[in-house]
Amino acid sequence: RRLACGDVEGRLEALFGRVRAIQGKSGHFDMLLCVGNFFGATSEAEWAEYRTGAKKAPIPTYVLGANDQETVRYFPDVSGCELAENITYLGRRGLYSGTSGLQIAYLSGTESQDEPAPSYSFSAKDVSELKTSLLSNPDFKGVDILLTSPWPRDVGSFANSAGEIDTKKCGSKLISDLAASIKPRYHFAALEKAYYERLPYRNHTVLQGTPQHVSRFIALADVGNTSKKKYLYAFSITPMSLMDPAELVKQPQDVTENPYQKSRKEAQKTKAPLCAEEEPACQFFFDLNKHQGKKRPSDGKETGNSQPKQAKKPSQPTGPCWFCLASPDVEKHLVVSIGTHCYLALAKGGLLPDHVLILPIGHYQSVVDLSSEVVEEVTKYKSALKEFFRSRGKRYVLFERNYRTQHLQLQVIPVPLDHCTPEDIKECFIAQAQEQQIELVEIPEHSDITQV
């Protein structure tokens, strides 16, 4: 049983008082892991009592190093040392192995572009050497815990909102790279004065790679903050080395895509904000290039659409195209709205009067071929249509109609909000597919089609 906390900033009495209260109520914890700023500008008076032994931390406490020049003086040995009884500085970077087999990777400081980095920072070289030392073990599957002070950049991609924190701008890209490589089961960080518990994310490619354990990122607020944001996190963890492999790789229902995949930088740039009252989305995939009734192979041998395309130019149609906006064949009287990269049109033979299509202006075959700018505008149209139909008591079903060499069409079909729940719609799709001897592969929630 472990505790983790955010920026202490010298408020030792507040922290250890809270730890004593928790242990009094909930029983013994084995260790306290501190990320962020352990010391602050006003630390000296309180710290002197612990440093001299007048007071003692109530639990073995492990801390990261300085994040600024002012607090470097509190850490006499860069490789780690005991600062006071029950308070240990882990060091600049490395792996701490507990007697139980628990493995904790740690990286002190903030990101620096300089080589060598200042004593309160880490550089690309530090991260590379830490990764190499861990990955050199042929049996390496990941670490139990990763401790860093800054957040990893883009941690909020494909996940629940981080509130006021913009995860595309805050944090360190080097830490994102480290987390993607060493696959921590828990990753703790601080410095942003905010609490954020991200949905767990997977460390393998869905429908392709062998299942691996999931990772959980938790950012903690500062000790004693007036907003009462969570700064102390209690959790139980069995070391990975002691777990049954099947139990270790179990995927929780709310697991998401990995936010750090390098191959998905395009997708991360185009992730638009979620609109209010989001519903769980069901996604299905059927590959028309395969024989009907057979499931698409998931052994990873196929490479057709396994990687997202880079921003590519639209292909040229092989013949007349009814949907290229510049084409004389397009029926312009059906056009509702024209954006920069996409347009909205009524369906010529609509299933309902308000059946509409979202179409790229240029000639793209599929969603997975779209450039980032087009994806972003498609997402805006989808959000606008969701709000519009909701205002009329409806929700929509969206599907991509995709035939080789033809123009991408996203069909948007509104259905009554009261009479068609997402579960009803899903059952209809599955039942109809079975009647037609088509096997649908359901893509897990929070997945990205470009990864499939």
Short mmCIF file of all heavy atoms in Angstrom, two decimals, residues 56-96:
data_model
loop_
_atom_site.label_atom_id
_atom_site.label_comp_id
_atom_site.label_asym_id
_atom_site.label_seq_id
_atom_site.Cartn_x
_atom_site.Cartn_y
_atom_site.Cartn_z
N LYS A 56 10.49 13.39 13.01
CA LYS A 56 10.74 12.27 12.11
C LYS A 56 9.52 12.04 11.23
O LYS A 56 8.38 12.09 11.71
CB LYS A 56 11.05 11.02 12.94
CG LYS A 56 11.24 9.75 12.12
CD LYS A 56 11.41 8.55 13.04
CE LYS A 56 11.35 7.23 12.25
NZ LYS A 56 11.43 6.06 13.13
N ALA A 57 9.77 11.80 9.97
CA ALA A 57 8.67 11.49 9.06
C ALA A 57 8.00 10.19 9.50
O ALA A 57 8.68 9.24 9.89
CB ALA A 57 9.20 11.34 7.63
N PRO A 58 6.66 10.12 9.46
CA PRO A 58 5.94 8.95 9.99
C PRO A 58 5.95 7.74 9.05
O PRO A 58 5.40 6.70 9.40
CB PRO A 58 4.51 9.48 10.16
CG PRO A 58 4.38 10.55 9.12
CD PRO A 58 5.74 11.18 9.02
N ILE A 59 6.59 7.87 7.90
CA ILE A 59 6.55 6.82 6.89
C ILE A 59 7.80 6.98 6.01
O ILE A 59 8.26 8.11 5.80
CB ILE A 59 5.25 6.96 6.05
CG1 ILE A 59 5.12 5.86 5.01
CG2 ILE A 59 5.18 8.32 5.35
CD1 ILE A 59 3.75 5.89 4.27
N PRO A 60 8.41 5.89 5.53
CA PRO A 60 9.54 6.04 4.61
C PRO A 60 9.13 6.89 3.40
O PRO A 60 8.18 6.55 2.68
CB PRO A 60 9.86 4.60 4.20
CG PRO A 60 9.37 3.77 5.35
CD PRO A 60 8.15 4.47 5.86
N THR A 61 9.84 8.00 3.21
CA THR A 61 9.47 9.00 2.20
C THR A 61 10.58 9.12 1.17
O THR A 61 11.75 9.27 1.53
CB THR A 61 9.22 10.36 2.88
OG1 THR A 61 8.18 10.20 3.87
CG2 THR A 61 8.81 11.43 1.88
N TYR A 62 10.20 9.04 -0.12
CA TYR A 62 11.17 9.11 -1.22
C TYR A 62 10.83 10.32 -2.08
O TYR A 62 9.68 10.50 -2.50
CB TYR A 62 11.12 7.82 -2.04
CG TYR A 62 11.51 6.61 -1.21
CD1 TYR A 62 10.56 5.94 -0.44
CD2 TYR A 62 12.82 6.16 -1.18
CE1 TYR A 62 10.91 4.85 0.34
CE2 TYR A 62 13.18 5.07 -0.40
CZ TYR A 62 12.23 4.42 0.36
OH TYR A 62 12.58 3.34 1.14
N VAL A 63 11.84 11.17 -2.34
CA VAL A 63 11.59 12.44 -3.01
C VAL A 63 12.45 12.57 -4.26
O VAL A 63 13.51 11.95 -4.39
CB VAL A 63 11.83 13.64 -2.07
CG1 VAL A 63 11.09 13.45 -0.76
CG2 VAL A 63 13.32 13.86 -1.79
N LEU A 64 11.98 13.41 -5.19
CA LEU A 64 12.76 13.77 -6.37
C LEU A 64 13.59 15.01 -6.08
O LEU A 64 13.35 15.73 -5.10
CB LEU A 64 11.83 14.03 -7.56
CG LEU A 64 11.04 12.83 -8.09
CD1 LEU A 64 10.17 13.24 -9.27
CD2 LEU A 64 11.96 11.69 -8.49
N GLY A 65 14.53 15.30 -6.98
CA GLY A 65 15.45 16.43 -6.78
C GLY A 65 14.86 17.78 -7.15
O GLY A 65 13.67 17.92 -7.44
N ALA A 66 15.75 18.79 -7.16
CA ALA A 66 15.35 20.19 -7.36
C ALA A 66 14.82 20.43 -8.76
O ALA A 66 15.24 19.79 -9.73
CB ALA A 66 16.55 21.10 -7.09
N ASN A 67 13.90 21.41 -8.86
CA ASN A 67 13.39 21.87 -10.15
C ASN A 67 13.80 23.31 -10.44
O ASN A 67 13.38 23.88 -11.45
CB ASN A 67 11.86 21.76 -10.17
CG ASN A 67 11.40 20.31 -10.11
OD1 ASN A 67 11.75 19.51 -10.95
ND2 ASN A 67 10.63 19.98 -9.08
N ASP A 68 14.59 23.91 -9.54
CA ASP A 68 15.07 25.28 -9.75
C ASP A 68 16.38 25.46 -8.98
O ASP A 68 16.73 24.65 -8.11
CB ASP A 68 14.02 26.31 -9.29
CG ASP A 68 13.58 26.10 -7.85
OD1 ASP A 68 14.45 26.08 -6.95
OD2 ASP A 68 12.37 25.93 -7.61
N GLN A 69 17.09 26.52 -9.30
CA GLN A 69 18.40 26.77 -8.71
C GLN A 69 18.32 26.99 -7.20
O GLN A 69 19.21 26.59 -6.45
CB GLN A 69 19.05 27.99 -9.38
CG GLN A 69 20.48 28.26 -8.94
CD GLN A 69 21.42 27.10 -9.27
OE1 GLN A 69 21.51 26.68 -10.42
NE2 GLN A 69 22.12 26.58 -8.29
N GLU A 70 17.23 27.60 -6.72
CA GLU A 70 17.09 27.96 -5.30
C GLU A 70 17.14 26.76 -4.37
O GLU A 70 17.61 26.86 -3.24
CB GLU A 70 15.77 28.72 -5.07
CG GLU A 70 15.78 30.15 -5.58
CD GLU A 70 14.49 30.87 -5.25
OE1 GLU A 70 13.76 30.40 -4.35
OE2 GLU A 70 14.19 31.89 -5.89
N THR A 71 16.61 25.62 -4.84
CA THR A 71 16.50 24.46 -3.92
C THR A 71 17.57 23.40 -4.16
O THR A 71 17.56 22.36 -3.51
CB THR A 71 15.10 23.83 -4.03
OG1 THR A 71 14.83 23.50 -5.40
CG2 THR A 71 14.02 24.78 -3.53
N VAL A 72 18.51 23.65 -5.06
CA VAL A 72 19.59 22.68 -5.33
C VAL A 72 20.38 22.39 -4.05
O VAL A 72 20.82 21.26 -3.81
CB VAL A 72 20.54 23.22 -6.43
CG1 VAL A 72 21.81 22.38 -6.52
CG2 VAL A 72 19.82 23.23 -7.77
N ARG A 73 20.53 23.39 -3.19
CA ARG A 73 21.36 23.24 -1.98
C ARG A 73 20.85 22.16 -1.02
O ARG A 73 21.59 21.70 -0.15
CB ARG A 73 21.47 24.58 -1.25
CG ARG A 73 20.13 25.16 -0.83
CD ARG A 73 20.27 26.62 -0.40
NE ARG A 73 18.99 27.26 -0.14
CZ ARG A 73 18.40 27.28 1.05
NH1 ARG A 73 18.99 26.69 2.09
NH2 ARG A 73 17.23 27.87 1.21
N TYR A 74 19.58 21.78 -1.13
CA TYR A 74 19.04 20.77 -0.23
C TYR A 74 19.46 19.35 -0.61
O TYR A 74 19.21 18.40 0.13
CB TYR A 74 17.51 20.83 -0.21
CG TYR A 74 16.95 22.06 0.48
CD1 TYR A 74 16.47 23.14 -0.26
CD2 TYR A 74 16.88 22.13 1.86
CE1 TYR A 74 15.95 24.27 0.36
CE2 TYR A 74 16.36 23.25 2.50
CZ TYR A 74 15.90 24.32 1.74
OH TYR A 74 15.38 25.42 2.37
N PHE A 75 20.06 19.19 -1.80
CA PHE A 75 20.39 17.85 -2.31
C PHE A 75 21.90 17.72 -2.49
O PHE A 75 22.44 18.03 -3.55
CB PHE A 75 19.66 17.62 -3.65
CG PHE A 75 18.17 17.76 -3.54
CD1 PHE A 75 17.55 18.98 -3.85
CD2 PHE A 75 17.38 16.71 -3.12
CE1 PHE A 75 16.18 19.13 -3.75
CE2 PHE A 75 16.00 16.85 -3.02
CZ PHE A 75 15.40 18.06 -3.33
N PRO A 76 22.60 17.24 -1.47
CA PRO A 76 24.07 17.24 -1.49
C PRO A 76 24.70 16.23 -2.45
O PRO A 76 25.83 16.41 -2.87
CB PRO A 76 24.44 16.92 -0.04
CG PRO A 76 23.26 16.20 0.52
CD PRO A 76 22.07 16.77 -0.17
N ASP A 77 23.98 15.16 -2.80
CA ASP A 77 24.58 14.11 -3.63
C ASP A 77 23.65 13.82 -4.81
O ASP A 77 22.53 13.34 -4.61
CB ASP A 77 24.79 12.85 -2.79
CG ASP A 77 25.54 11.75 -3.55
OD1 ASP A 77 25.65 11.86 -4.78
OD2 ASP A 77 26.01 10.80 -2.90
N VAL A 78 24.12 14.09 -6.05
CA VAL A 78 23.25 13.92 -7.22
C VAL A 78 22.82 12.48 -7.44
O VAL A 78 21.81 12.21 -8.09
CB VAL A 78 23.94 14.44 -8.51
CG1 VAL A 78 24.12 15.93 -8.46
CG2 VAL A 78 25.26 13.73 -8.76
N SER A 79 23.58 11.54 -6.91
CA SER A 79 23.24 10.13 -7.12
C SER A 79 22.24 9.61 -6.09
O SER A 79 21.87 8.44 -6.10
CB SER A 79 24.50 9.27 -7.08
OG SER A 79 25.15 9.41 -5.83
N GLY A 80 21.80 10.50 -5.16
CA GLY A 80 20.82 10.10 -4.15
C GLY A 80 21.45 9.90 -2.79
O GLY A 80 22.62 9.52 -2.69
N CYS A 81 20.68 10.16 -1.76
CA CYS A 81 21.20 10.01 -0.39
C CYS A 81 20.05 10.17 0.60
O CYS A 81 18.95 10.58 0.23
CB CYS A 81 22.27 11.07 -0.11
SG CYS A 81 21.68 12.76 -0.30
N GLU A 82 20.33 9.84 1.85
CA GLU A 82 19.35 10.06 2.90
C GLU A 82 19.46 11.51 3.35
O GLU A 82 20.52 11.98 3.75
CB GLU A 82 19.61 9.12 4.08
CG GLU A 82 18.52 9.20 5.14
CD GLU A 82 18.72 8.21 6.28
OE1 GLU A 82 19.50 8.55 7.20
OE2 GLU A 82 18.11 7.13 6.24
N LEU A 83 18.35 12.25 3.27
CA LEU A 83 18.34 13.66 3.66
C LEU A 83 18.06 13.83 5.14
O LEU A 83 18.55 14.76 5.78
CB LEU A 83 17.28 14.42 2.85
CG LEU A 83 17.44 14.40 1.32
CD1 LEU A 83 16.28 15.15 0.67
CD2 LEU A 83 18.77 15.01 0.90
N ALA A 84 17.25 12.94 5.68
CA ALA A 84 16.91 12.94 7.11
C ALA A 84 16.35 11.55 7.41
O ALA A 84 16.11 10.76 6.49
CB ALA A 84 15.87 14.02 7.42
N GLU A 85 16.15 11.26 8.67
CA GLU A 85 15.61 9.95 9.01
C GLU A 85 14.25 9.75 8.33
O GLU A 85 13.35 10.59 8.45
CB GLU A 85 15.45 9.79 10.53
CG GLU A 85 15.09 8.37 10.93
CD GLU A 85 15.01 8.17 12.44
OE1 GLU A 85 15.27 9.14 13.18
OE2 GLU A 85 14.69 7.04 12.86
N ASN A 86 14.13 8.66 7.57
CA ASN A 86 12.90 8.31 6.85
C ASN A 86 12.63 9.18 5.62
O ASN A 86 11.55 9.09 5.03
CB ASN A 86 11.68 8.34 7.77
CG ASN A 86 11.21 6.94 8.14
OD1 ASN A 86 11.84 5.96 7.76
ND2 ASN A 86 10.10 6.84 8.86
N ILE A 87 13.57 10.04 5.23
CA ILE A 87 13.39 10.87 4.03
C ILE A 87 14.59 10.67 3.11
O ILE A 87 15.72 11.03 3.47
CB ILE A 87 13.22 12.36 4.37
CG1 ILE A 87 12.00 12.58 5.29
CG2 ILE A 87 13.06 13.18 3.08
CD1 ILE A 87 11.81 14.02 5.73
N THR A 88 14.36 10.07 1.95
CA THR A 88 15.44 9.71 1.03
C THR A 88 15.28 10.41 -0.31
O THR A 88 14.18 10.41 -0.89
CB THR A 88 15.44 8.18 0.79
OG1 THR A 88 15.60 7.52 2.05
CG2 THR A 88 16.57 7.77 -0.15
N TYR A 89 16.38 11.01 -0.78
CA TYR A 89 16.43 11.57 -2.13
C TYR A 89 16.84 10.46 -3.08
O TYR A 89 17.90 9.86 -2.92
CB TYR A 89 17.42 12.74 -2.16
CG TYR A 89 17.85 13.19 -3.54
CD1 TYR A 89 16.93 13.38 -4.56
CD2 TYR A 89 19.20 13.44 -3.81
CE1 TYR A 89 17.33 13.79 -5.82
CE2 TYR A 89 19.61 13.86 -5.07
CZ TYR A 89 18.67 14.03 -6.08
OH TYR A 89 19.07 14.44 -7.31
N LEU A 90 15.98 10.14 -4.06
CA LEU A 90 16.24 9.02 -4.96
C LEU A 90 17.45 9.24 -5.85
O LEU A 90 18.21 8.31 -6.13
CB LEU A 90 15.00 8.76 -5.83
CG LEU A 90 13.81 8.13 -5.09
CD1 LEU A 90 12.55 8.23 -5.94
CD2 LEU A 90 14.10 6.67 -4.75
N GLY A 91 17.66 10.48 -6.31
CA GLY A 91 18.77 10.77 -7.21
C GLY A 91 18.29 11.43 -8.48
O GLY A 91 17.10 11.69 -8.67
N ARG A 92 19.25 11.72 -9.35
CA ARG A 92 18.92 12.45 -10.59
C ARG A 92 18.07 11.60 -11.54
O ARG A 92 17.12 12.07 -12.13
CB ARG A 92 20.22 12.87 -11.28
CG ARG A 92 20.00 13.74 -12.50
CD ARG A 92 21.23 14.52 -12.86
NE ARG A 92 21.00 15.34 -14.05
CZ ARG A 92 21.70 16.41 -14.34
NH1 ARG A 92 22.65 16.80 -13.54
NH2 ARG A 92 21.43 17.09 -15.44
N ARG A 93 18.43 10.35 -11.72
CA ARG A 93 17.64 9.43 -12.54
C ARG A 93 18.08 8.01 -12.22
O ARG A 93 19.20 7.78 -11.77
CB ARG A 93 17.86 9.71 -14.03
CG ARG A 93 19.31 9.65 -14.47
CD ARG A 93 19.46 9.86 -15.97
NE ARG A 93 20.83 10.17 -16.35
CZ ARG A 93 21.81 9.31 -16.49
NH1 ARG A 93 21.59 8.03 -16.23
NH2 ARG A 93 23.02 9.69 -16.84
N GLY A 94 17.18 7.06 -12.43
CA GLY A 94 17.55 5.67 -12.18
C GLY A 94 16.34 4.78 -11.91
O GLY A 94 15.19 5.14 -12.20
N LEU A 95 16.62 3.62 -11.33
CA LEU A 95 15.59 2.64 -11.01
C LEU A 95 15.77 2.22 -9.56
O LEU A 95 16.86 1.79 -9.16
CB LEU A 95 15.71 1.41 -11.92
CG LEU A 95 14.65 0.33 -11.72
CD1 LEU A 95 13.29 0.80 -12.21
CD2 LEU A 95 15.05 -0.97 -12.43
N TYR A 96 14.72 2.36 -8.77
CA TYR A 96 14.73 1.93 -7.37
C TYR A 96 13.98 0.59 -7.30
O TYR A 96 12.82 0.51 -7.71
CB TYR A 96 14.04 2.97 -6.49
CG TYR A 96 13.86 2.53 -5.05
CD1 TYR A 96 14.86 2.70 -4.11
CD2 TYR A 96 12.66 1.93 -4.64
CE1 TYR A 96 14.69 2.29 -2.79
CE2 TYR A 96 12.48 1.52 -3.33
CZ TYR A 96 13.50 1.70 -2.41
OH TYR A 96 13.33 1.29 -1.11
#
